Amino acid sequence: MPYEPSNADGYAIARAARGEDASSTLSREEAGWLLVRIPIPDNLRRTYWTAWVVITVLSFMMSGLVVVLILSRPRLRRQPFNNYIVGLALPDVFFSMACAFTC
């Protein structure tokens, strides 16, 4: 079934999904599924994507900084816990870099 956004009143569907609108002909489950199909306004979508890009870029930079700092200092490289931290930070670097471009 192709995706077709609904043109219904999103606030009325949200009230029905929460069970607040007794006059609604929709069940809570039907209203919940219809609520997914309500289009997001362009200004809100732009805000979501801007926040997403900022968070992923900051995550990439901070995780990369942790890896670079630990690997560039021999005293920090000798400690096993720091090697563990690098092992945790490397997948985060790759994931946040991939999400900045693909998600």
Side-chain angles (χ1 to χ4, degrees), residues 3 15 21 23 25 37 39 44 46 51 54 61 68 71 75 78-79 81 90 93-94 103:
Y3 174 75
R15 282 191 304 274
D21 190 4
S23 65
T25 59
R37 298 174 63 167
L44 193 56
R46 193 173 306 116
V54 167
M61 289 172 53
V68 167
L71 293 180
R75 187 188 64 157
R78 285 192 300 256
Q79 298 174 355
F81 183 74
L90 281 176
V93 168
F94 296 127
C103 290

Side-chain angles (χ1 to χ4, degrees), residues 41-63:
D42 286 338
N43 61 346
L44 193 56
R45 185 178 301 136
R46 193 173 306 116
T47 303
Y48 286 161
W49 279 106
T50 302
W52 180 263
V53 169
V54 167
I55 289 169
T56 55
V57 167
L58 285 176
S59 175
F60 171 73
M61 289 172 53
M62 294 300 115
S63 298

